[in-house]
Tab-separated table of all heavy atoms in Angstrom:
chain	number	residue	atom	x	y	z
F	1	ASP	N	92.857	118.152	90.579
F	1	ASP	CA	94.269	118.436	90.294
F	1	ASP	C	95.138	117.219	90.563
F	1	ASP	O	96.112	116.961	89.841
F	1	ASP	CB	94.760	119.617	91.140
F	1	ASP	CG	94.140	120.926	90.685
F	1	ASP	OD1	93.762	121.018	89.496
F	1	ASP	OD2	94.022	121.850	91.507
F	2	ILE	N	94.800	116.452	91.604
F	2	ILE	CA	95.582	115.248	91.923
F	2	ILE	C	95.456	114.228	90.809
F	2	ILE	O	96.442	113.608	90.396
F	2	ILE	CB	95.126	114.657	93.275
F	2	ILE	CG1	95.537	115.605	94.400
F	2	ILE	CG2	95.706	113.265	93.501
F	2	ILE	CD1	94.984	115.266	95.748
F	3	ILE	N	94.250	114.062	90.283
F	3	ILE	CA	94.052	113.123	89.176
F	3	ILE	C	94.863	113.577	87.966
F	3	ILE	O	95.503	112.774	87.293
F	3	ILE	CB	92.554	112.987	88.833
F	3	ILE	CG1	91.844	112.219	89.953
F	3	ILE	CG2	92.353	112.275	87.498
F	3	ILE	CD1	90.347	112.138	89.822
F	4	ARG	N	94.860	114.877	87.703
F	4	ARG	CA	95.655	115.398	86.572
F	4	ARG	C	97.138	115.070	86.750
F	4	ARG	O	97.832	114.785	85.783
F	4	ARG	CB	95.477	116.902	86.441
F	4	ARG	CG	94.157	117.315	85.835
F	4	ARG	CD	94.202	118.775	85.429
F	4	ARG	NE	92.893	119.277	85.080
F	4	ARG	CZ	92.295	119.080	83.910
F	4	ARG	NH1	92.909	118.371	82.996
F	4	ARG	NH2	91.101	119.569	83.669
F	5	GLU	N	97.624	115.129	87.996
F	5	GLU	CA	99.037	114.861	88.272
F	5	GLU	C	99.358	113.371	88.201
F	5	GLU	O	100.425	112.983	87.724
F	5	GLU	CB	99.412	115.383	89.666
F	5	GLU	CG	99.403	116.893	89.780
F	5	GLU	CD	99.474	117.357	91.228
F	5	GLU	OE1	99.693	116.517	92.118
F	5	GLU	OE2	99.301	118.571	91.465
F	6	GLN	N	98.450	112.525	88.686
F	6	GLN	CA	98.730	111.096	88.806
F	6	GLN	C	98.416	110.292	87.549
F	6	GLN	O	98.925	109.196	87.374
F	6	GLN	CB	97.956	110.500	89.987
F	6	GLN	CG	98.432	110.992	91.336
F	6	GLN	CD	97.707	110.298	92.481
F	6	GLN	OE1	96.807	109.493	92.279
F	6	GLN	NE2	98.104	110.618	93.697
F	7	VAL	N	97.547	110.805	86.711
F	7	VAL	CA	97.090	110.047	85.546
F	7	VAL	C	97.688	110.659	84.285
F	7	VAL	O	97.572	111.859	84.064
F	7	VAL	CB	95.538	110.067	85.477
F	7	VAL	CG1	95.046	109.329	84.239
F	7	VAL	CG2	94.951	109.434	86.734
F	8	SER	N	98.346	109.824	83.482
F	8	SER	CA	98.971	110.325	82.252
F	8	SER	C	97.905	110.768	81.255
F	8	SER	O	96.746	110.353	81.319
F	8	SER	CB	99.835	109.226	81.627
F	8	SER	OG	99.001	108.219	81.059
F	9	GLY	N	98.326	111.605	80.328
F	9	GLY	CA	97.403	112.068	79.294
F	9	GLY	C	96.815	110.908	78.508
F	9	GLY	O	95.634	110.913	78.155
F	10	GLU	N	97.637	109.903	78.232
F	10	GLU	CA	97.170	108.729	77.483
F	10	GLU	C	96.116	107.962	78.275
F	10	GLU	O	95.086	107.544	77.726
F	10	GLU	CB	98.367	107.815	77.187
F	10	GLU	CG	98.022	106.590	76.376
F	10	GLU	CD	99.228	105.685	76.169
F	10	GLU	OE1	100.368	106.196	76.133
F	10	GLU	OE2	99.017	104.468	76.055
F	11	GLU	N	96.359	107.795	79.584
F	11	GLU	CA	95.392	107.086	80.431
F	11	GLU	C	94.075	107.850	80.506
F	11	GLU	O	92.996	107.258	80.439
F	11	GLU	CB	95.944	106.908	81.845
F	11	GLU	CG	97.040	105.885	81.971
F	11	GLU	CD	97.606	105.868	83.387
F	11	GLU	OE1	98.042	106.937	83.866
F	11	GLU	OE2	97.595	104.796	84.006
F	12	TRP	N	94.178	109.178	80.651
F	12	TRP	CA	92.949	109.957	80.767
F	12	TRP	C	92.186	109.967	79.455
F	12	TRP	O	90.957	109.931	79.425
F	12	TRP	CB	93.238	111.385	81.242
F	12	TRP	CG	91.945	112.081	81.477
F	12	TRP	CD1	91.412	113.104	80.766
F	12	TRP	CD2	90.958	111.752	82.477
F	12	TRP	NE1	90.170	113.440	81.262
F	12	TRP	CE2	89.871	112.625	82.303
F	12	TRP	CE3	90.918	110.808	83.494
F	12	TRP	CZ2	88.742	112.582	83.113
F	12	TRP	CZ3	89.786	110.751	84.304
F	12	TRP	CH2	88.718	111.630	84.109
F	13	GLU	N	92.890	109.990	78.310
F	13	GLU	CA	92.213	109.933	77.016
F	13	GLU	C	91.477	108.599	76.874
F	13	GLU	O	90.348	108.553	76.370
F	13	GLU	CB	93.223	110.106	75.876
F	13	GLU	CG	92.635	109.953	74.479
F	13	GLU	CD	91.471	110.888	74.185
F	13	GLU	OE1	91.354	111.959	74.805
F	13	GLU	OE2	90.648	110.526	73.314
F	14	ARG	N	92.096	107.517	77.337
F	14	ARG	CA	91.429	106.211	77.304
F	14	ARG	C	90.176	106.233	78.187
F	14	ARG	O	89.128	105.704	77.812
F	14	ARG	CB	92.410	105.119	77.757
F	14	ARG	CG	91.940	103.733	77.470
F	14	ARG	CD	93.040	102.695	77.533
F	14	ARG	NE	93.909	102.778	78.678
F	14	ARG	CZ	95.188	103.144	78.632
F	14	ARG	NH1	95.759	103.469	77.491
F	14	ARG	NH2	95.918	103.181	79.728
F	15	GLU	N	90.280	106.881	79.346
F	15	GLU	CA	89.123	106.988	80.239
F	15	GLU	C	88.022	107.820	79.593
F	15	GLU	O	86.838	107.494	79.681
F	15	GLU	CB	89.548	107.598	81.573
F	15	GLU	CG	88.415	107.926	82.515
F	15	GLU	CD	87.555	106.729	82.927
F	15	GLU	OE1	87.937	105.570	82.672
F	15	GLU	OE2	86.480	106.964	83.504
F	16	ARG	N	88.405	108.889	78.920
F	16	ARG	CA	87.416	109.728	78.238
F	16	ARG	C	86.706	108.935	77.140
F	16	ARG	O	85.483	109.007	76.999
F	16	ARG	CB	88.099	110.963	77.639
F	16	ARG	CG	87.143	112.062	77.230
F	16	ARG	CD	87.896	113.259	76.676
F	16	ARG	NE	88.472	112.959	75.388
F	16	ARG	CZ	87.773	112.977	74.243
F	16	ARG	NH1	86.500	113.276	74.253
F	16	ARG	NH2	88.359	112.699	73.098
F	17	GLN	N	87.475	108.140	76.395
F	17	GLN	CA	86.879	107.301	75.351
F	17	GLN	C	85.927	106.266	75.956
F	17	GLN	O	84.872	105.972	75.393
F	17	GLN	CB	87.978	106.590	74.539
F	17	GLN	CG	88.807	107.508	73.668
F	17	GLN	CD	87.994	108.167	72.568
F	17	GLN	OE1	87.040	107.593	72.050
F	17	GLN	NE2	88.363	109.390	72.210
F	18	ARG	N	86.303	105.743	77.118
F	18	ARG	CA	85.438	104.775	77.811
F	18	ARG	C	84.114	105.433	78.197
F	18	ARG	O	83.036	104.874	77.982
F	18	ARG	CB	86.145	104.236	79.060
F	18	ARG	CG	85.358	103.146	79.794
F	18	ARG	CD	85.989	102.829	81.143
F	18	ARG	NE	85.732	103.870	82.118
F	18	ARG	CZ	84.594	103.988	82.808
F	18	ARG	NH1	83.610	103.138	82.647
F	18	ARG	NH2	84.432	104.977	83.669
F	19	GLN	N	84.196	106.636	78.739
F	19	GLN	CA	82.991	107.349	79.149
F	19	GLN	C	82.096	107.659	77.948
F	19	GLN	O	80.871	107.510	78.019
F	19	GLN	CB	83.368	108.644	79.876
F	19	GLN	CG	84.010	108.418	81.219
F	19	GLN	CD	84.629	109.679	81.790
F	19	GLN	OE1	84.528	110.759	81.205
F	19	GLN	NE2	85.283	109.557	82.920
F	20	LEU	N	82.715	108.096	76.843
F	20	LEU	CA	81.938	108.388	75.644
F	20	LEU	C	81.202	107.142	75.164
F	20	LEU	O	80.028	107.196	74.795
F	20	LEU	CB	82.849	108.920	74.530
F	20	LEU	CG	83.436	110.316	74.731
F	20	LEU	CD1	84.436	110.631	73.633
F	20	LEU	CD2	82.332	111.362	74.750
F	21	LEU	N	81.901	106.009	75.170
F	21	LEU	CA	81.296	104.754	74.734
F	21	LEU	C	80.119	104.378	75.629
F	21	LEU	O	79.051	103.983	75.149
F	21	LEU	CB	82.354	103.642	74.742
F	21	LEU	CG	81.902	102.263	74.267
F	21	LEU	CD1	81.466	102.300	72.802
F	21	LEU	CD2	83.030	101.253	74.456
F	22	VAL	N	80.304	104.523	76.936
F	22	VAL	CA	79.250	104.175	77.894
F	22	VAL	C	77.980	104.964	77.615
F	22	VAL	O	76.875	104.412	77.595
F	22	VAL	CB	79.725	104.419	79.350
F	22	VAL	CG1	78.554	104.460	80.305
F	22	VAL	CG2	80.709	103.345	79.778
F	23	PHE	N	78.115	106.253	77.370
F	23	PHE	CA	76.932	107.091	77.218
F	23	PHE	C	76.350	107.079	75.809
F	23	PHE	O	75.222	107.505	75.612
F	23	PHE	CB	77.228	108.519	77.678
F	23	PHE	CG	77.364	108.624	79.163
F	23	PHE	CD1	78.591	108.890	79.748
F	23	PHE	CD2	76.277	108.409	79.993
F	23	PHE	CE1	78.723	108.968	81.133
F	23	PHE	CE2	76.401	108.483	81.370
F	23	PHE	CZ	77.623	108.759	81.935
F	24	ARG	N	77.101	106.557	74.842
F	24	ARG	CA	76.592	106.515	73.470
F	24	ARG	C	75.965	105.179	73.109
F	24	ARG	O	75.169	105.113	72.173
F	24	ARG	CB	77.712	106.854	72.494
F	24	ARG	CG	78.074	108.331	72.561
F	24	ARG	CD	79.151	108.686	71.607
F	24	ARG	NE	79.376	110.129	71.647
F	24	ARG	CZ	80.422	110.728	71.107
F	24	ARG	NH1	81.324	110.021	70.477
F	24	ARG	NH2	80.557	112.027	71.185
F	25	GLU	N	76.349	104.112	73.801
F	25	GLU	CA	75.780	102.789	73.519
F	25	GLU	C	74.568	102.566	74.417
F	25	GLU	O	74.716	102.496	75.643
F	25	GLU	CB	76.824	101.696	73.794
F	25	GLU	CG	77.902	101.586	72.746
F	25	GLU	CD	77.394	100.957	71.456
F	25	GLU	OE1	76.401	100.207	71.490
F	25	GLU	OE2	78.005	101.219	70.414
F	26	PRO	N	73.375	102.424	73.854
F	26	PRO	CA	72.172	102.257	74.690
F	26	PRO	C	72.283	101.108	75.689
F	26	PRO	O	71.871	101.247	76.847
F	26	PRO	CB	71.068	102.000	73.660
F	26	PRO	CG	71.565	102.632	72.397
F	26	PRO	CD	73.063	102.478	72.438
F	27	GLU	N	72.867	99.995	75.261
F	27	GLU	CA	73.015	98.826	76.144
F	27	GLU	C	73.874	99.155	77.366
F	27	GLU	O	73.584	98.747	78.489
F	27	GLU	CB	73.652	97.695	75.333
F	27	GLU	CG	73.808	96.390	76.054
F	27	GLU	CD	74.475	95.342	75.169
F	27	GLU	OE1	74.469	95.475	73.931
F	27	GLU	OE2	75.013	94.381	75.734
F	28	LEU	N	74.932	99.919	77.130
F	28	LEU	CA	75.841	100.277	78.223
F	28	LEU	C	75.275	101.408	79.063
F	28	LEU	O	75.471	101.454	80.271
F	28	LEU	CB	77.202	100.689	77.652
F	28	LEU	CG	77.965	99.597	76.922
F	28	LEU	CD1	79.168	100.182	76.197
F	28	LEU	CD2	78.405	98.509	77.888
F	29	ARG	N	74.572	102.301	78.415
F	29	ARG	CA	74.030	103.463	79.117
F	29	ARG	C	73.052	103.030	80.207
F	29	ARG	O	73.046	103.582	81.305
F	29	ARG	CB	73.338	104.378	78.112
F	29	ARG	CG	73.038	105.746	78.644
F	29	ARG	CD	72.662	106.641	77.496
F	29	ARG	NE	72.134	107.900	77.973
F	29	ARG	CZ	71.922	108.940	77.194
F	29	ARG	NH1	72.199	108.882	75.918
F	29	ARG	NH2	71.444	110.046	77.695
F	30	SER	N	72.225	102.035	79.917
F	30	SER	CA	71.290	101.560	80.943
F	30	SER	C	72.034	100.836	82.056
F	30	SER	O	71.701	100.965	83.226
F	30	SER	CB	70.228	100.651	80.325
F	30	SER	OG	70.824	99.520	79.725
F	31	ALA	N	73.090	100.098	81.692
F	31	ALA	CA	73.849	99.367	82.709
F	31	ALA	C	74.600	100.315	83.638
F	31	ALA	O	74.747	100.046	84.831
F	31	ALA	CB	74.834	98.404	82.044
F	32	VAL	N	75.065	101.453	83.116
F	32	VAL	CA	75.848	102.364	83.939
F	32	VAL	C	74.986	103.044	84.995
F	32	VAL	O	75.490	103.517	86.019
F	32	VAL	CB	76.591	103.405	83.065
F	32	VAL	CG1	75.688	104.571	82.685
F	32	VAL	CG2	77.836	103.929	83.784
F	33	MET	N	73.693	103.070	84.784
F	33	MET	CA	72.814	103.663	85.794
F	33	MET	C	72.902	102.883	87.110
F	33	MET	O	72.829	103.464	88.183
F	33	MET	CB	71.372	103.714	85.293
F	33	MET	CG	71.178	104.648	84.119
F	33	MET	SD	71.808	106.314	84.433
F	33	MET	CE	72.082	106.922	82.781
F	34	ASP	N	73.088	101.570	87.008
F	34	ASP	CA	73.281	100.772	88.228
F	34	ASP	C	74.577	101.180	88.927
F	34	ASP	O	74.654	101.194	90.151
F	34	ASP	CB	73.329	99.278	87.890
F	34	ASP	CG	71.981	98.747	87.424
F	34	ASP	OD1	70.953	99.362	87.790
F	34	ASP	OD2	71.963	97.740	86.705
F	35	GLN	N	75.585	101.519	88.129
F	35	GLN	CA	76.849	101.944	88.731
F	35	GLN	C	76.711	103.283	89.449
F	35	GLN	O	77.369	103.515	90.454
F	35	GLN	CB	77.933	102.051	87.654
F	35	GLN	CG	78.548	100.717	87.303
F	35	GLN	CD	79.823	100.908	86.526
F	35	GLN	OE1	79.886	101.715	85.606
F	35	GLN	NE2	80.839	100.169	86.891
F	36	PHE	N	75.882	104.148	88.923
F	36	PHE	CA	75.674	105.417	89.616
F	36	PHE	C	75.032	105.184	90.980
F	36	PHE	O	75.333	105.885	91.940
F	36	PHE	CB	74.842	106.377	88.765
F	36	PHE	CG	75.648	107.114	87.736
F	36	PHE	CD1	75.395	106.963	86.391
F	36	PHE	CD2	76.670	107.964	88.124
F	36	PHE	CE1	76.146	107.644	85.443
F	36	PHE	CE2	77.428	108.648	87.191
F	36	PHE	CZ	77.172	108.486	85.843
F	37	ALA	N	74.163	104.179	91.060
F	37	ALA	CA	73.575	103.839	92.361
F	37	ALA	C	74.664	103.357	93.318
F	37	ALA	O	74.682	103.713	94.499
F	37	ALA	CB	72.501	102.768	92.188
F	38	GLU	N	75.607	102.556	92.794
F	38	GLU	CA	76.731	102.123	93.624
F	38	GLU	C	77.600	103.314	94.027
F	38	GLU	O	78.188	103.339	95.106
F	38	GLU	CB	77.586	101.101	92.863
F	38	GLU	CG	76.887	99.777	92.610
F	38	GLU	CD	77.660	98.885	91.651
F	38	GLU	OE1	78.844	99.180	91.379
F	38	GLU	OE2	77.072	97.894	91.183
F	39	GLY	N	77.665	104.312	93.152
F	39	GLY	CA	78.441	105.509	93.444
F	39	GLY	C	77.911	106.260	94.648
F	39	GLY	O	78.681	106.880	95.395
F	40	ILE	N	76.607	106.200	94.854
F	40	ILE	CA	76.027	106.837	96.043
F	40	ILE	C	76.594	106.181	97.299
F	40	ILE	O	76.988	106.874	98.247
F	40	ILE	CB	74.482	106.751	96.009
F	40	ILE	CG1	73.937	107.632	94.878
F	40	ILE	CG2	73.883	107.179	97.361
F	40	ILE	CD1	72.438	107.523	94.664
F	41	ASP	N	76.664	104.854	97.300
F	41	ASP	CA	77.239	104.147	98.455
F	41	ASP	C	78.704	104.533	98.659
F	41	ASP	O	79.151	104.761	99.783
F	41	ASP	CB	77.129	102.626	98.261
F	41	ASP	CG	75.689	102.137	98.287
F	41	ASP	OD1	74.845	102.816	98.895
F	41	ASP	OD2	75.426	101.072	97.706
F	42	LEU	N	79.447	104.589	97.555
F	42	LEU	CA	80.878	104.912	97.619
F	42	LEU	C	81.092	106.313	98.193
F	42	LEU	O	81.897	106.520	99.114
F	42	LEU	CB	81.457	104.813	96.209
F	42	LEU	CG	82.966	104.776	96.044
F	42	LEU	CD1	83.538	103.492	96.623
F	42	LEU	CD2	83.322	104.876	94.558
F	43	LEU	N	80.349	107.294	97.675
F	43	LEU	CA	80.498	108.668	98.143
F	43	LEU	C	79.958	108.861	99.557
F	43	LEU	O	80.521	109.630	100.338
F	43	LEU	CB	79.790	109.624	97.187
F	43	LEU	CG	80.516	109.852	95.853
F	43	LEU	CD1	79.608	110.552	94.869
F	43	LEU	CD2	81.794	110.655	96.065
F	44	ALA	N	78.891	108.153	99.888
F	44	ALA	CA	78.365	108.243	101.254
F	44	ALA	C	79.393	107.724	102.244
F	44	ALA	O	79.575	108.301	103.332
F	44	ALA	CB	77.055	107.459	101.373
């Protein structure tokens, strides 16, 4: 809910487009797996 309040619809649409691109491009999809590993550190 906080993200919905703080992030404009335009910004979130851009983020959604970024996510779609990441998961649809094979080159980017493999690279993002490294980021998920970093996400474990961030969340921990």
Side-chain angles (χ1 to χ4, degrees):
D1 290 334
I2 291 171
I3 289 174
R4 284 194 191 280
E5 292 167 9
Q6 292 184 357
V7 178
S8 72
E10 182 183 330
E11 287 175 304
W12 186 249
E13 175 56 25
R14 193 163 46 249
E15 172 60 12
R16 195 179 71 80
Q17 291 295 328
R18 184 190 74 81
Q19 291 168 3
L20 290 173
L21 182 63
V22 163
F23 288 111
R24 288 181 176 167
E25 285 287 336
E27 183 181 339
L28 296 170
R29 194 167 170 169
S30 60
V32 82
M33 294 307 157
D34 291 336
Q35 279 195 315
F36 278 118
E38 293 170 13
I40 292 174
D41 293 335
L42 194 67
L43 286 167

